[in-house]
Amino acid sequence: MKHLLLVFIGGGAGSVLRYIIGKALNSPQTGIPYGTFAANILGSLLIGIILGLAAKNETITQNHTLLLATGFCGGFTTFSTFAYENHIFLKSGDFASFALYTVASFIIGFLAVFAGIYLVNYFWTNTQSI
C-alpha cells in the first residue's frame, strides 16, 4: 500500500507540473506544443538522472525511485519511461526489440488517437440524430 501511495503522490505532482508548463509554454498562436515537448525532454532527462543514480549507488532507495521515477516522471510524462525502456533495449544490444517497440509505439499510438477521435465523432454524430 505504501508503494501505491508513493506512486500516487509523485504522479499527481508530475501531472500538475506538466499542466503548469503546458499552460505557460504551449503556443495558442502557432499551435506548437512547446510545453509538452519541454515536459517530455525534461522528464526523460530526469528519469535518466534518477535511475542512473539508483544504479550507481545506494543513495536512492526503492521508495525514492517509486516516488520520483515511476510516480513523478510517469505523471509528468510517459515519454520518459518509453525513452528509458528503449535505452535498456539498446544497452543490451536488442536492436530488433528497440526498433519494433519504437515504431509500433509511434504508429499504434497515433492510430489509437485517431481511432478514439473517430469513435467519439461516430458515436456523437449517430446519437445526436436519434
Side-chain angles (χ1 to χ4, degrees):
M1 189 58 135
K2 178 182 177 183
H3 291 167
L4 292 175
L5 186 59
L6 289 169
V7 172
F8 176 77
I9 291 168
S15 295
V16 168
L17 184 57
R18 181 183 65 226
Y19 173 77
I20 292 168
I21 289 174
K23 290 299 268 182
L25 298 180
N26 285 351
S27 173
Q29 292 81 18
T30 65
I32 298 174
Y34 295 113
T36 303
F37 180 76
N40 285 337
I41 301 307
L42 288 171
S44 295
L45 176 64
L46 186 58
I47 201 170
I49 290 169
I50 293 163
L51 295 176
L53 286 171
K56 290 288 181 198
N57 57 45
E58 303 279 325
T59 59
I60 294 184
T61 67
Q62 180 186 13
N63 288 340
H64 290 123
T65 302
L66 286 171
L67 176 71
L68 298 172
T70 305
F72 182 82
C73 289
F76 191 56
T77 172
T78 57
F79 188 79
S80 60
T81 302
F82 170 76
Y84 180 73
E85 290 164 345
N86 275 308
H87 163 76
I88 297 298
F89 284 138
L90 291 174
K91 186 176 176 182
S92 69
D94 191 353
F95 301 110
S97 292
F98 165 76
L100 180 64
Y101 183 51
T102 300
V103 171
S105 292
F106 282 114
I107 292 173
I108 295 170
F110 287 128
L111 289 174
V113 168
F114 295 136
I117 292 168
Y118 172 80
L119 290 170
V120 167
N121 287 332
Y122 178 80
F123 286 110
W124 182 263
T125 303
N126 288 336
T127 59
Q128 295 300 312
S129 61
I130 295 177

